[in-house]
Amino acid sequence: MSGRLVHVGSAVVDYVYRIDALPAAGTEKTASAYARVAGGGFNMMVAASRTGMKVVFGGQLGTGPDGDFLRAAFAAEGIETLTPPSPSMDSGNCVAMISGDAERTFVSWPGAESRLTPDMMAPVQAVAGDWVFTSGYTLSYPGSRDVLTDWIEALPAGIAFVFDPTPVIADIPRPILDRVLARTTWLSCNTNEAAEIAGAGDAQTVAVRLLEQHCLKAAGVVIRAGAHGCLVRMADGGTRAVPGFKVEAVDTNGAGDTHIGAFVSALSRGLSPCEAARYANAAAALSVTRHGGSSAPTDTEIQEFLSHRDQAAIAHDWEEATAT
């Protein structure tokens, strides 16, 4: 299969502050570095685009400095925007504090991406071969969730729909979440999000529940476990734990977005789900060695990374086989 990635989620501007540790209540910290960067759904789109997939954006960008900033970032990555700027407000933003242990803390302000009408979605048309994606953020906003859910449900049956619930999953009303899961072709989530949907348990048990009780039309689910890799469970019953790669992380912001974008891009090129998961694990591993949420690697960089890892594994196996 091949086709475009039609992203109908949200993009915001990230205001990123690097600090040694989060400040205690009532105290102040001075950041060691600051950056203003495109974030939110932009990170996932960049990962897909840099690995060879045509990407178009069907969400809302605002009118104002943050909307202008995002449009420029999209243009620099070759990502076309299908919808006109929202005339009523600017795009939203997010303050991201990156601490010395590479973890991040967010405070978000919703903007134009949080308001949708059917007329706003009218220019966004998915065609055969496209892959449609959204995240839980747009579904968490009261002003966008109903319109977007209606649009997703109206997608033609043959179009693949990929969903990432994101950490705001608890803010999505359960009826909305259930409707979106029922239309999902591929669900990608972390272990906490999977448990929020299907209850506690080991990853394989939760994955089975996701497919049997929530994502009845899905081809499969991916449960991400950070540096440990991910678990892929297919609707036909096949399960595989795909190990991650050990790297020196400096910034985990955007790693999940990179994983999803690379996974969808790989699937669109015909890789098997497990091959696509390994490819996505490598993309995410490379991304956390770089600063910034939109730090996704290119296909060439991923292939070189995997080649070096494969060569190292072969050398290790040879040493073990010839040890006396």
Side-chain angles (χ1 to χ4, degrees):
M1 296 179 68
S2 61
R4 305 176 301 170
L5 170 66
V6 182
H7 194 294
V8 290
S10 57
V12 298
V13 175
D14 284 346
Y15 294 85
V16 183
Y17 298 84
R18 300 194 178 280
I19 53 180
D20 58 350
L22 289 177
T27 66
E28 182 177 341
K29 284 276 186 179
T30 298
S32 61
Y34 161 79
R36 182 185 184 217
V37 297
F42 180 75
N43 301 330
M44 186 273 189
M45 288 182 271
V46 166
S49 179
R50 290 181 184 172
T51 52
M53 197 172 189
K54 172 69 174 176
V55 180
V56 296
F57 180 60
Q60 285 291 301
L61 298 180
T63 298
D66 283 343
D68 292 343
F69 184 86
L70 289 169
R71 275 183 287 276
F74 278 39
E77 292 287 342
I79 298 170
E80 178 187 359
T81 301
L82 301 179
T83 55
S86 170
S88 60
M89 61 194 309
D90 200 0
S91 290
N93 59 70
C94 175
V95 172
M97 292 173 284
I98 313 298
S99 52
D101 57 0
E103 286 300 329
R104 70 272 194 231
T105 302
F106 300 128
V107 178
S108 298
W109 171 254
E113 70 283 352
S114 67
R115 309 283 180 87
L116 284 180
T117 67
D119 287 345
M120 290 176 177
M121 293 300 296
V124 187
Q125 300 291 328
V127 299
D130 284 346
W131 294 71
V132 175
F133 171 86
T134 201
S135 78
Y137 285 102
T138 312
L139 296 171
S140 71
Y141 303 136
S144 60
R145 61 171 67 120
D146 293 310
V147 169
L148 182 57
T149 301
D150 289 344
W151 188 90
I152 290 167
E153 287 184 325
L155 284 170
I159 291 178
F161 171 63
V162 183
F163 177 50
D164 171 20
T166 73
V168 300
I169 184 172
D171 296 329
I172 304 172
R174 194 66 192 216
I176 291 288
L177 181 62
D178 288 343
R179 289 169 62 192
V180 173
L181 290 172
R183 179 55 184 84
T184 296
T185 309
W186 278 98
L187 175 70
S188 178
C189 55
N190 65 28
T191 53
N192 291 335
E193 295 153 7
E196 180 74 23
I197 297 170
D202 63 87
Q204 183 165 326
T205 299
V206 173
V208 171
R209 283 198 219 116
L210 285 169
L211 286 168
E212 291 183 349
Q213 301 175 19
H214 303 278
C215 306
L216 301 184
K217 296 180 181 178
V221 299
V222 178
I223 299 180
R224 308 185 310 272
H228 298 292
C230 63
L231 179 114
V232 178
R233 173 77 183 191
M234 301 295 296
D236 63 10
T239 305
R240 182 175 173 183
V242 184
F245 299 96
K246 187 176 181 180
V247 295
E248 192 68 33
V250 299
D251 186 350
T252 59
N253 188 21
D257 296 320
T258 296
H259 193 282
I260 300 166
F263 179 75
V264 174
S265 176
L267 285 181
S268 76
R269 299 195 306 273
L271 272 68
S272 72
C274 290
E275 291 171 333
R278 184 170 186 263
Y279 183 88
N281 286 351
L286 281 168
S287 77
V288 303
T289 66
R290 305 166 178 179
H291 291 294
S294 54
S295 56
T298 64
D299 176 67
T300 299
E301 290 172 325
I302 297 170
Q303 299 293 359
E304 289 178 353
F305 178 87
L306 289 172
S307 176
H308 292 155
R309 295 297 172 127
D310 289 341
Q311 291 171 7
I314 291 171
H316 179 265
D317 291 345
W318 174 257
E319 289 175 357
E320 286 194 341
T322 56
T324 56

